[in-house]
Amino acid sequence: MSTNVDMKLEVVVIPVSDVDRAKEFYGRLGWRLDQTPPGIVQFTPPGSSCSVQFGPNLTSAAPGSAEEYLIVSDVEAARNALVAAGVEVSEVFHIGPDGPVSGLDPQRRSYFSRASFNDPDRNNWLVQEITTRLPGRIEAAATSFGSARDLASALRRAAAAHGEHEKRIGEADANWPDWYAEYMVSEQTGAELPR
């Protein structure tokens, strides 16, 4: 297959036993209910370009067998929003050398801090905090932000890092917009962060 053909993941099908109950649950999360053909229910999480679908005859998988990931720029804020929507969510935990440990990753490293929840059928959703991508995951030309909230969070991280940069150089950096842009793109693509 040619590598120059764009392919984008559009939909993941999740198995549910009660379509109406699942529809109420995902609607309560604040996910967008999309227009679909009859017999298909589709929801899209805020800022996501991939949706979830369910319906009476979409999959032969057992309800509750799905394992999905949601990525967020702030796992504590995401957990609080889920709790406010009436969802039972695990405490925030991070991955230590010997497995899961309670609380945020002490260095707040990307990919380490998580929380999880289940839908009514026990399909599991892992919420993972990612602010800096591993190299090769996102192309610099495709860098984007899924929401104003994600952009604001990236700007705050860039501002904090830029403050450290100005301390190192011993003066105000008049070229801060370019520095911020380089920092934010590097963070998303996994490239070396500017100093």
Side-chain angles (χ1 to χ4, degrees):
M1 176 180 224
S2 175
T3 58
N4 63 354
V5 176
D6 285 353
M7 293 186 181
K8 298 172 179 71
L9 183 61
E10 181 75 11
V11 171
V12 174
V13 176
I14 56 172
V16 302
S17 60
D18 184 325
V19 172
D20 291 332
R21 180 179 68 179
K23 187 174 178 181
E24 185 278 328
F25 177 82
Y26 287 101
R28 193 165 21 109
L29 297 183
W31 295 12
R32 184 186 71 229
L33 177 61
D34 299 327
Q35 187 171 353
T36 59
I40 298 173
V41 178
Q42 178 172 304
F43 280 94
T44 304
S48 179
S49 57
C50 184
S51 304
V52 296
Q53 282 185 352
F54 48 88
N57 300 308
L58 291 183
T59 181
S60 60
S65 62
E67 297 276 337
E68 310 296 345
Y69 277 66
L70 294 169
I71 62 165
V72 297
S73 60
D74 184 333
V75 72
E76 289 179 309
R79 183 184 182 284
N80 291 341
L82 288 165
V83 169
V87 177
E88 188 174 317
V89 187
S90 75
E91 292 299 320
V92 172
F93 62 94
H94 66 278
I95 303 304
D98 299 319
V101 179
S102 182
L104 286 169
D105 177 65
Q107 291 120 24
R108 204 79 187 248
R109 295 172 292 176
S110 273
Y111 297 94
F112 283 78
S113 298
R114 304 168 178 190
S116 66
F117 67 95
N118 294 317
D119 74 5
D121 283 291
R122 311 285 307 153
N123 291 305
N124 183 257
W125 290 91
L126 185 75
V127 181
Q128 184 176 36
E129 183 176 276
I130 300 178
T131 54
T132 303
R133 286 288 193 167
L134 292 172
R137 295 294 309 248
I138 295 177
E139 295 179 32
T143 300
S144 65
F145 294 90
S147 69
R149 196 171 25 255
D150 278 351
L151 176 58
S153 183
L155 283 166
R156 281 190 284 281
R157 290 189 305 275
H162 190 260
E164 294 302 313
H165 163 72
E166 287 182 327
K167 285 178 191 173
R168 270 191 305 281
I169 65 172
E171 63 184 1
D173 179 7
N175 197 23
W176 66 266
D178 290 340
W179 196 97
Y180 272 44
E182 182 182 349
Y183 185 91
M184 292 164 65
V185 168
S186 295
E187 194 179 59
Q188 277 201 345
T189 62
E192 186 175 339
L193 296 172
R195 290 188 36 84

